[in-house]
């Protein structure tokens, strides 16, 4: 297992915020085994570790040099907020702490005098946006109802931009909250399903740029005029776009998601004229973008199928970005992008990793979570190491974006809503047929793997297509859509019912689409992982499928980590889980 352990121990890092003078960068890195905070004083220095907690943390630098620290406990996602001096092992000072509730999406004004965050402490269900004065501590709440998050604060500190999920799948709204008067402005009235990105404010607070899919299939860049309360589309593509504006308003960064790969453009905010296309370190995914306060540097994280997320900095006009952390790509295989026709002729993209040799190779099909998400060509914490290890061992790995995935427009995203749920599972059968037709793939040794909603897809594939799959590996998966919705956190239920259907109106459909409804058909061996503290998919979802399959004599292994939630945040647990999964594969496919 040395090769797998070595890959899993590769560390990742990403930028969190610049200091007020732009000379220092706060980083997050899992170098210690869980995500902690590091300070980078100069690009050529080694980052200095500041926090040494057992739990993963997040944070940002405040204008006075202190750090706003965010941390939960054991993966329960009930985030608490603290203040921290920028010194190694400094003792955190409680700022907003009540372990019973969530205090998430913290945002701080540019002058450091206002904190905005979202919390469900009023009733445990709805999220309110709270404006808190710093350092005084006086608070004002905006009770809009529903699932909200603080998105950004205008440069003058007057407006908090908040995002609220809508009643439709793939839908939401931006609201502007006037901190002084308490006025609430809905900035995005629309019909049908539409999503909006994080506002990138103009320097004078007169408006902002943001991604918008209103009346469009994909996300364009729109500009919102606060005085006129009007939108105009200023940049568009047949791919999804997002944007970021530097504080001085000199450079607009436009980020395109092109078949999963990132492309970066630097544009003039007034004319939208293209100044340059930023050169990335390779072909992969860039995210976590930050402009320095004067706009002279752009920090971001980059990952590819052979490189974990690492921090980079780009100076506009420079020939290439400079890497601040890590050591670059590892040896391995890059995927090929293909498309296959599903049962109804729908074209479905799939990334295929092929091992060296002639085959025929066993194949592991991995399905992303969400389902409103997208598999992208990056080296994620678990999947990247797992993939490269499997390919080195002679497995092919296929990563499809089945219908319901984002990144391909609203039409494609809604092809699996409610009554169409099993159509996405049928995409897996079509993928199995396409893979089996490749001479180097052995379709009789096909394994399906996924986590969260991807775990549901694993169980559904084994239950509804029992003759196709030789084994399944699922992490924190849903075995019964009804019991999942009944037992998930109260604040998540309404949000998930938008996608899956409601307990009140769609219970029969939910039951029919649940793997538990056809558990007697499952005959393939199954490996399951879950975190005891998971607030999204209750651990009971894994316990009940494990209990039923074990009683039927089907090989079913279940490992539960008592100190984890929906994600495997701690390195030791991640190593243990994937080493167990590989040992399971070796045995069942031997």
């Amino acid at each position: 297992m040395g090769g797998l352990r070595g890959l899993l121990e590769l560390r990742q890092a990403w930028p969190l915020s610049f200091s007020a003078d732009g000379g220092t960068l706060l980083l997050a890195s899992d170098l210690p085994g869980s995500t902690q905070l590091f300070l980078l004083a100069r690009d050529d220095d080694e980052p200095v570790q500041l926090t040494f907690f057992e739990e993963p943390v997040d944070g940002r630098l405040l204008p006075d040099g202190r750090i706003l620290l965010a941390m939960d406990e054991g993966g329960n996602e009930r985030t608490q907020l603290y203040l921290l001096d920028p010194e190694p092992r400094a003792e955190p000072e409680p700022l907003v702490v009540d372990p019973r509730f969530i205090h998430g999406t913290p945002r701080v004004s540019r002058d450091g005098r206002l904190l905005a965050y979202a919390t469900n402490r009023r009733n445990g269900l709805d999220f309110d946006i709270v404006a808190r004065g710093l350092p005084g501590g006086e608070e004002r709440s905006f009770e809009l109802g529903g699932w909200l998050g603080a998105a950004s604060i205008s440069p003058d500190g007057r407006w908090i931009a908040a995002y609220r999920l809508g009643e439709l799948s793939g839908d939401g709204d931006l609201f502007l909250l006037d901190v002084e008067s308490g006025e609430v402005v809905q900035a995005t009235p629309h019909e049908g399903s539409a999503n909006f990105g994080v506002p990138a404010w103009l320097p004078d607070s007169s408006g902002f740029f943001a991604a918008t899919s209103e009346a469009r299939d994909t996300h364009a860049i729109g500009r919102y005029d606060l005085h006129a309360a009007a939108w105009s589309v200023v940049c568009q593509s047949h791919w999804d776009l997002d944007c970021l504006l530097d504080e001085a308003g000199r450079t607009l960064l436009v980020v395109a998601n092109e078949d999963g790969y990132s492309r970066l453009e630097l544009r003039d905010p007034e004319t939208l004229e293209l100044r340059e296309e930023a050169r990335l370190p390779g072909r992969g995914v860039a995210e976590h973008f930050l402009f320095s306060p004067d706009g002279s540097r752009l920090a971001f994280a980059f990952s590819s199928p052979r490189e974990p997320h690492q921090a980079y900095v780009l100076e506009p006009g420079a020939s290439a970005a400079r890497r601040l952390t890590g050591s670059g790509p590892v040896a391995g295989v890059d995927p090929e992008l293909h498309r296959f026709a599903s049962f109804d002729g729908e074209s479905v993209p799939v990334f295929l990793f092929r091992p060296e040799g002639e085959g025929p190779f066993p194949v592991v099909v991995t399905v992303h979570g969400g389902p409103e998400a997208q598999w992208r060509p990056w080296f994620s914490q678990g999947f990247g190491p797992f993939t490269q290890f499997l390919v080195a061992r002679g497995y092919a790995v296929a990563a499809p974006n089945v219908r319901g995935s984002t990144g391909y427009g609203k039409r494609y995203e809604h092809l699996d809503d409610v009554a169409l749920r099993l159509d996405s599972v049928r995409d897996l059968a079509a993928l199995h047929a396409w893979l089996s037709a490749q001479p180097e793939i052995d379709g009789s040794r096909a394994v399906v793997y996924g986590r969260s909603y991807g775990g549901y897809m694993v169980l559904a594939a084994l239950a509804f297509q029992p003759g196709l799959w030789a084994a399944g590996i699922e992490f924190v998966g849903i075995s019964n859509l009804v019991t999942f919705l009944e037992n998930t956190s109260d604040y998540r239920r309404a949000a998930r019912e938008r996608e899956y259907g409601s307990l009140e109106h769609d219970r029969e459909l939910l039951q029919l689409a649940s793997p538990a409804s056809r558990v007697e058909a499952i005959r393939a061996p199954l490996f399951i992982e879950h975190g005891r503290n998971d607030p999204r998919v209750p651990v009971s979802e894994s316990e009940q499928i494990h209990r039923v399959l074990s009683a039927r004599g089907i090989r079913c292994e279940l490992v539960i980590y008592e100190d984890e939630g929906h994600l495997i945040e701690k390195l030791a647990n991640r190593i243990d889980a994937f080493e167990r999964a590989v040992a399971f594969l070796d045995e069942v496919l031997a």
Side-chain angles (χ1 to χ4, degrees), residues 315-346:
E315 296 175 1
S319 60
R322 283 183 291 136
R323 183 168 43 78
L324 302 178
T325 61
S327 55
V330 299
V333 172
D334 290 317
E336 306 161 356
L337 178 58
H338 299 272
R339 279 178 166 77
F340 63 91
S342 193
F343 65 94
D344 56 356
E346 185 69 40

Side-chain angles (χ1 to χ4, degrees), residues 4-247:
L4 177 60
R5 178 181 290 267
L7 289 167
L8 288 166
E9 288 177 343
L10 289 172
R11 301 300 194 260
Q12 58 180 357
W14 57 95
L16 295 174
S17 65
F18 279 101
S19 60
D21 63 5
T24 300
L25 186 60
L26 184 68
L27 302 170
S29 175
D30 61 358
L31 184 65
S34 64
T35 302
Q36 300 298 312
L37 303 183
F38 290 74
L39 210 57
L40 184 65
R42 291 189 300 270
D43 290 356
D44 296 331
D45 289 351
E46 285 294 320
V48 175
Q49 185 175 348
L50 299 181
T51 59
F52 295 79
F53 301 107
E54 182 179 348
E55 302 296 340
V57 300
D58 196 4
R60 63 158 295 150
L61 284 165
L62 301 178
D64 64 6
R66 292 183 299 171
I67 294 170
L68 176 65
L69 177 74
M71 180 167 55
D72 71 358
E73 182 178 356
N76 64 13
E77 300 184 13
R78 294 197 290 272
T79 306
Q80 312 299 314
L81 304 178
Y82 305 84
L83 292 175
L84 188 72
D85 289 330
E87 302 292 337
R89 300 186 184 276
E91 189 68 23
E93 173 190 342
L95 180 63
V96 182
V97 175
D98 185 338
R100 298 173 298 173
F101 303 110
I102 296 170
H103 312 91
T105 62
R107 303 287 183 262
V108 178
S109 60
R110 292 183 185 177
D111 63 7
R113 300 182 61 82
L114 175 67
L115 166 68
Y117 64 92
T119 180
N120 63 340
R121 69 187 179 211
R122 176 166 55 92
N123 58 15
L125 178 63
D126 296 298
F127 283 84
D128 303 327
I129 301 297
V130 177
R132 180 185 178 95
L134 295 177
E138 64 279 2
E139 292 192 342
R140 179 173 202 161
S141 294
F142 294 85
E143 299 177 359
L144 279 68
W147 192 340
L148 283 98
S152 63
I153 301 177
S154 61
D156 61 7
R158 177 181 175 183
W159 299 96
I160 299 171
Y163 183 83
R164 185 176 72 180
L165 293 183
E167 295 182 358
L168 301 175
S169 173
D171 181 60
D173 269 300
L174 287 174
F175 291 86
L176 300 179
L177 317 178
D178 191 325
V179 177
E180 298 174 3
S181 69
E183 179 188 6
V184 176
V185 176
Q186 184 177 359
T188 55
H190 62 276
E191 295 182 0
S193 174
N195 258 325
F196 301 87
V198 174
W201 287 90
L202 300 172
D204 62 359
S205 301
S206 64
F208 53 79
F209 294 98
T212 171
S213 64
E214 182 184 3
R216 299 178 48 80
D217 192 42
T218 58
H219 286 81
I221 304 302
R223 179 167 173 161
Y224 180 76
D225 185 294
L226 192 58
H227 178 72
W231 283 87
S232 58
V233 172
V234 297
C235 189
Q236 56 189 322
S237 167
H238 64 279
W239 299 108
D240 280 345
L241 303 179
D242 205 350
C243 65
L244 181 70
L245 184 68
D246 72 298
E247 290 186 9

